[in-house]
Amino acid sequence: MSTVAPVFQGESPQSPPSYLKAGHTIKSWLLTGDHKRIAILYLIAVSVFFFFGSIAASMIRVELVSPRGVMLENDTYNKVFTAHGIIMIFFFLIPAIPAVLGNFLLPIMIGARDLAFPRLNLLSWYLYVAGGLCALLAMAFGGVDTGWTFYTPYSSMYSNTNVTLTIVGAFIAGFSSIATGINFIVTVHKMRAPGMTWFRLPLMVWGSYATSVIIVLGTPVVAITLLLVVMERVFHIGVFSPELGGDPVLFQHLFWFYSHPAVYIMILPAMGVINEVITCFTRKRIFGYHFIAFSSLAIAGLGFLVWGHHMFVSSQSMYQGMVFSLLSYLVAVPSAIKTFNWTATIYKGSVRFQTPFLYVLGFIGLFVVGGLTGLFLAAMSTDVHLTDTYFVVAHFHYVMVGGTIMGFLAGLHFWWPKFFGKMYPDNWGKLSALIIFIGFNLTFLPQFVLGYLGMPRRYHYYYFAPEFQFWHIASTAGASILAVGFLIPAVYLLWSLKYGPDAGPNPWGAKGLEWTIPSPPPTTNFVEIPVVREEPYAYDAEADEREERVPAETKR
Amino acid sequence: MKIDHSHAHPISMYLKTFFALLVLMVLTVVMAFVHVGPEGNSVLNNLIAMAIAVTKAVLVVLFFMHVKFSTQLTKFWAILGFLWFLLMFIMFADYTTRPREYIRGWEPAAEDPNAPAALPQPPAR
Amino acid sequence: MNFPLMPDQASNFARPYDALFFALTALTILFTVIVGALVLYFAVKYRKGNRVDRSGAVESHLGLEITWTVIPLILGLVMFWWAAKLYVDTRQPPQDAMEIFVIGKQWMWHAQHANGVRENNELHVPVGVPVRLTMISQDVIHSFFVPQFRIKQDVLPGRYTQQWFIATKPGKYNLFCAEYCGTQHSEMGGYIYALPPQEFQKWLASGGDKKRPNQPTMADLGKQLYDRLACGNCHGSQDSPRGPSLYGLYGARRRMTDGSIVEATASYIREAIKNPYAKINEGYQNTMPEYRELTEEDLLNLIAYIRTLGTSKAPGPVLGNAMPAQIDGGNR
Amino acid sequence: MSMKTEALQAAHGAEEQPLHHQFEELPQQNESYVVGMWVFLVTEIMFFGGMFLAYVLYRWRYSEAWFEAHTKLDIPLGTTNTVVLLTSSLTMALAVHFAQLRNKRLQLAMLGATIGLACVFLVIKAFEWSAKFQHGLVPGPNFTWEGLVPAPQAQLFYSLYFGMTGLHALHVIIGIVVIGVLALLTALDHPLVKNDFIPTELVGLYWHFVDIVGIFLFPLFYLIPK
């Protein structure tokens, strides 16, 4: 989006210092109100949690190589997969894109100096860290073995592990994401620059807005549900245990009322990132802007009406199951719309195969598989056989890892030069994207077969059915490739911070307000609030090609 | 909007609202002891109690919380929460239809002429 | 090491299930290939510097949008209908199904045949005969899963759930617990043996694997318990002032003190023993003690015995699968 | 839009409401805070909503037990408490009113009255609860129930009673702290609240929400028809 605001070409002497240089003390970071610094704090924190979660994942994969296990005890294994689930979902996938990329970019994209409530933003980071520490403490000292779903009555009456502390951690982290959600909603409503109408917003902002709405409407419900579990556990007063007169299925209803929409909390921001990256690297306007924008809201709304498809075998009534199955098919449509629109966006573009775009290609491929295998689970009778098996595991990893993490990496590679003003080696980036894509498919395609064969999830041993072993070995082999794929970016991104060439304000030749300001941006983002006069994604592939202008693509 | 005085409303508005709330308060207590509707059926009483509570809440929201005088945006968010809460009641589709699930054949197989003869007969005595 | 691709088709549900599964698989592959091929083709054809016609690109096209909204929608609705129909079948056991009772507990499956034969972590069923499992859990939620039969049903504490199937092929199949239930969740499994009917008959008559023929049936055990607990003191062959008779109770409709009509199903009787105050027959006081210490196995035996005391003449459709307290409170 | 903070303040003198650095103008700032508070209240509604849902489910399932169990609650005390809460809502609304008029003395008086009424509410609640403790109506191993309806169902009623009124009381306590801090800052002319009625308005919104929860809890627990 071009604006009347002056476009800086690098840091000129009169421009204010970058946010990275606005103070060097630890205090200036830990007490900052600057959304960009908070985003960096989040980036560090979620990376740490991703690391812990990955360690747990590796332990699971190694353990399953043999039908009788390799190194872990029953209980340890249960604690490890619970740790993997809780860390990855509550402390990585949910905050990853909104709190890192969204925090950094949302105000800049709409032409604001900061989020509406900077102090609340900082508070949300502290809540996140506090919640994460609670969960880590619980896992370090004794562990927790309920699975991330905390199903009652196991979690409330039977488990002898640190359930309470873990729930307190998830509870606190919930308020962290609520704080972020409130901040984003108000910011999008009230802080847009003049001329930045709703339909000029970058689609990532639409995605973040829809996500925030889900967070605000859903998270409190799981918070109260988990609180009720703690009450039942600690005081033996409760509403879920049949011994106390309750109904354990009520927990599942309340839990999935949030936790199904939570899937969209994880995937919608990633879809937003894809819109930004795909337009830049095809030099095309997005195809079907309005359809993509409204499909985000449709997903956010419909996503609240389909939670029962997690419960087809839970003994909920057959009639309720049918309603939920039907609605689940409806929610598949907006996702299909997005995918087809992205495909049409590439048509007649001027495609540049650079690292972020490779991640986008990976995202589309994996998300399509992940989304379509969701149809098996929304169909009532196929779900009966496949639910609680590795098919489900494979399905949601395709959506969560193939979708959210690919989206996160695409965004991280796209905006890394904006974050730090440094460029990473593109060839290493491409290599890692390729390795991740291959490793991912090797890991999780076999799990579809395993699930169909009947391998239940959360199984430590499978000596009852040793024929599963081949597929487990294949999966573990893929996982080791995937691990290497994740390590490479960690290395070269850190390397680039010190040794990377300067990126300049707009290394990709991208449109959007964030590319009109220096990299890294100054603390107040804009010297003067820009006035937006153009439609979003004002790319022109034809003109680009005609001029045969090589966009400011950094050579290294 | 430059001067804060423009936000202020007359004190009488708050007092009137408060008075209305007290009246409704008395009404709801009285109605709890007056049975309405058919014998053995408390649906109407419950509806009345909830209607009064909702009215009170609306009064508080409109006047004490100034939503009557606020922007469209504020109104939207003020309404959304109360509406979305109602969505959760979808789960009653489960609880109300559970007993409707028709399960054939709880009779002992011995009395069932269709029972396969080769099968073990449950003991008949 | 072998590379299995699909589980055996060993029940009546397996074939129709697999038809749907493969239809969905075909759909998945089709759309993945379409989208993948288009994306790659466009990306390569329109790569930077490649001299191709780029004119006339549009940024929206209502016809296209409607096309790719409606086609997935229709396909989705077809799949929904197909799957829902199949699902309804799996939830409705035929009337003549043979009954087996299953109790899940941390961490084993316990099965009881009506004639008293019991098995742990194994279940023998006849081929070609509809079998209905009535299941309950003694502690946490478990899930009864037989991949080769394509069936799975959660087993809940405090409430009976059911599952039915017809085994179609003799053999040995996996039995898993599919709902995470604690430390030895992965070892809470075993095997299902589908036997030809005659063989099954023989197996059952010989007292199962433990070879204890002529052991007491479930109803016998129930009778013993009934006598030991002296239930007959209040619930004799005639209604007494202390309690109603249990003769002809099973399946009968009774009026409760709160005016509701309750149908005496297994779930109701279980609740009435464990928690007698929940529903009280009209004309009686709640003088019955709570028999909370009875295990699920005891309860099933008692119910089996009460069933032998006769059923009402016209049972009518029985409502099941509801929550314990209001199960069969039915007509709210 | 391009008016800068300094220019605004210069034009209106020190009396002008302060403009925070991330905002461009006062109406934008004021509405942002109010909308933000309302979005927070939406989360509060959903938070209490989960419990209300459980309440409705079990009341519908165990309606008789619910009626029996509720007869042990003290209707006069519950009524008094709800009136106390309504009155505190009025004083809070008046506190906002005087904040808008920049009448610091009356604003502080109204905030003080609100805190006082909130404390009265808690004291009455404490009396109610301690009576339940004495009668063994606290859910848990020591729950004692003599009545026609099954003990587990009555216990479920009291679980939800203590859970919901407890959560509500927690909100009242938080409210007392927040109002106390607000009064302190106002008394000290702290820049956060000086010449700005929005903080008082936001605290007011929160307090009225607590009142609304009370409005619903009262008939749901104390006035259950047969």
Side-chain angles (χ1 to χ4, degrees), chain C residues 88-325:
Chain C
V88 171
D89 284 349
T90 64
R91 292 285 285 245
Q92 298 196 329
Q95 201 148 7
D96 56 358
M98 179 186 129
E99 259 191 336
I100 298 175
F101 300 91
V102 173
I103 297 169
K105 46 187 149 184
Q106 284 175 330
W107 293 273
M108 61 178 283
W109 292 105
H110 178 77
Q112 286 178 298
H113 296 266
N115 81 337
V117 171
R118 282 178 250 181
E119 323 179 54
N120 287 334
N121 291 331
E122 287 186 354
L123 180 62
H124 288 70
V125 294
V127 167
V129 175
V131 173
R132 185 178 68 235
L133 308 174
T134 301
M135 306 186 284
I136 195 159
S137 162
Q138 211 156 287
D139 33 54
V140 302
I141 299 179
H142 303 282
S143 191
F144 189 91
F145 177 33
V146 186
Q148 288 87 352
F149 289 180
R150 313 287 191 274
I151 57 168
K152 185 182 289 135
Q153 173 63 50
D154 278 9
V155 178
L156 277 75
R159 189 171 131 204
Y160 291 112
T161 54
Q162 66 166 358
Q163 174 68 54
W164 81 280
F165 58 87
I166 305 173
T168 52
K169 197 166 119 186
K172 176 183 172 187
Y173 307 111
N174 290 114
L175 165 60
F176 292 125
C177 171
E179 186 63 69
Y180 176 70
C181 59
T183 307
Q184 293 180 47
H185 165 59
S186 56
E187 290 167 285
M188 183 174 167
Y191 300 102
I192 298 224
Y193 296 90
L195 305 173
Q198 289 79 8
E199 242 176 85
F200 176 76
Q201 196 63 48
K202 241 192 304 180
W203 177 87
L204 203 58
S206 70
D209 287 348
K210 295 193 176 137
K211 296 281 180 254
R212 277 183 298 194
N214 304 322
Q215 56 185 304
T217 63
M218 279 177 71
D220 289 338
L221 293 170
K223 173 85 169 83
Q224 286 168 16
L225 200 56
Y226 184 89
D227 293 338
R228 185 161 62 76
L229 299 172
C231 306
N233 285 355
C234 303
H235 302 286
S237 57
Q238 299 294 321
D239 288 351
S240 75
R242 279 173 298 186
S245 167
L246 302 181
Y247 283 72
L249 168 71
Y250 199 86
R253 286 166 168 269
R254 296 280 176 91
R255 182 180 287 278
M256 299 292 133
T257 42
D258 64 354
S260 63
I261 307 278
V262 161
E263 190 135 11
T265 60
S267 296
Y268 163 73
I269 297 174
R270 177 186 175 280
E271 180 72 18
I273 298 168
K274 275 203 96 138
N275 190 3
Y277 301 167
K279 294 274 180 215
I280 297 158
N281 271 259
E282 197 167 44
Y284 292 93
Q285 302 296 315
N286 56 338
T287 49
M288 180 169 158
E290 297 175 356
Y291 291 91
R292 312 199 105 208
E293 73 287 357
L294 291 181
T295 63
E296 295 297 341
E297 200 177 331
D298 295 337
L299 289 162
L300 281 172
N301 291 336
L302 276 173
I303 292 168
Y305 173 64
I306 290 169
R307 276 169 62 156
T308 64
L309 299 177
T311 59
S312 64
K313 286 287 163 278
V318 178
L319 304 169
N321 201 24
M323 300 191 304

Side-chain angles (χ1 to χ4, degrees), chain D residues 108-173:
Chain D
L108 283 175
M110 284 300 151
L111 289 177
T114 312
I115 294 178
L117 287 164
C119 291
V120 172
F121 174 87
L122 286 179
V123 168
I124 296 179
K125 195 98 254 170
F127 272 113
E128 273 191 85
W129 278 29
S130 62
K132 303 288 169 294
F133 273 88
Q134 279 160 16
H135 294 121
L137 289 173
V138 181
N142 300 325
F143 186 77
T144 47
W145 180 255
E146 304 285 328
L148 283 174
V149 295
Q153 297 179 11
Q155 174 168 312
L156 203 51
F157 174 87
Y158 280 99
S159 292
L160 285 167
Y161 168 77
F162 279 101
M164 291 169 84
T165 56
L167 196 63
H168 183 236
L170 185 69
H171 276 77
V172 172
I173 293 170

Side-chain angles (χ1 to χ4, degrees), chain A residues 116 118 190 220 237-239 245 247, chain D residues 22 28 31-32 43 58 62 139 156:
Chain A
K190 293 305 299 174
I237 65 173
V239 293
D247 175 21
Chain D
Q22 69 271 33
Q28 177 202 23
E31 198 190 354
S32 292
T43 70
Y58 291 119
Y62 306 136
L156 203 51

Side-chain angles (χ1 to χ4, degrees), chain A residues 423-438:
Chain A
M423 206 62 194
Y424 52 85
D426 194 44
N427 286 331
W428 280 102
K430 286 182 198 165
L431 180 70
S432 75
L434 197 68
I435 293 177
I436 290 176
F437 185 78
I438 293 170

Side-chain angles (χ1 to χ4, degrees), chain A residues 318-332:
Chain A
M318 183 170 80
Y319 304 94
Q320 167 111 348
M322 281 198 213
V323 174
F324 278 130
S325 175
L326 183 64
L327 290 168
S328 304
Y329 273 100
L330 296 187
V331 83

Side-chain angles (χ1 to χ4, degrees), chain C residues 51-113:
Chain C
R51 297 195 172 275
V52 286
D53 178 26
R54 287 188 171 84
S55 61
V58 290
E59 58 184 283
S60 71
H61 188 286
L62 192 61
L64 270 179
E65 299 284 356
I66 290 175
T67 313
W68 61 52
T69 306
V70 171
I71 291 180
L73 186 63
I74 290 175
L75 283 174
L77 291 180
V78 170
M79 288 297 158
F80 158 73
W81 183 246
W82 187 351
K85 258 180 77 173
L86 207 55
Y87 181 75
V88 171
D89 284 349
T90 64
R91 292 285 285 245
Q92 298 196 329
Q95 201 148 7
D96 56 358
M98 179 186 129
E99 259 191 336
I100 298 175
F101 300 91
V102 173
I103 297 169
K105 46 187 149 184
Q106 284 175 330
W107 293 273
M108 61 178 283
W109 292 105
H110 178 77
Q112 286 178 298
H113 296 266

